[in-house]
Amino acid sequence: MAISYIKLWKLLLDNKMKKTDLLSLADISTTTLAKLSKDLPVSMEVMSRICHALSCDIGDVMEIIPDKKGD
């Protein structure tokens, strides 16, 4: 399964925010931001801080993409 944070980036755009704004707002590191940018897994603690900072639910910022059958 793959992870996608495209919903997070769309939410930031809708709120006229930059990725760097998320660093301070959610108190995350640049390393974590890099992981998010590459659709790599991050801890639930980080996801919780992002959701709290943006006043949203986890489904509003990420999704799990199932593997395609036959690949």
Side-chain angles (χ1 to χ4, degrees):
M1 285 193 265
I3 300 171
S4 173
Y5 299 108
I6 192 84
K7 291 181 175 184
L8 172 60
W9 310 132
K10 288 180 181 179
L11 186 59
L12 290 181
L13 284 173
D14 290 344
N15 290 316
K16 295 179 175 53
M17 295 174 63
K18 297 178 184 176
K19 288 181 179 181
T20 53
D21 296 329
L22 186 61
L23 289 174
S24 58
L25 188 64
D27 192 30
I28 61 174
S29 69
T30 55
T31 302
T32 299
L33 183 61
K35 286 182 178 182
L36 291 167
S37 296
K38 295 176 184 176
D39 289 333
L40 296 174
V42 296
S43 73
M44 286 302 296
E45 179 184 343
V46 167
M47 295 309 299
S48 177
R49 283 188 288 191
I50 290 171
C51 290
H52 179 73
L54 298 175
S55 300
C56 65
D57 189 64
I58 195 163
D60 298 328
V61 294
M62 71 173 288
E63 64 181 329
I64 304 295
I65 303 168
D67 293 333
K68 294 179 183 174
K69 300 286 182 186
D71 283 349

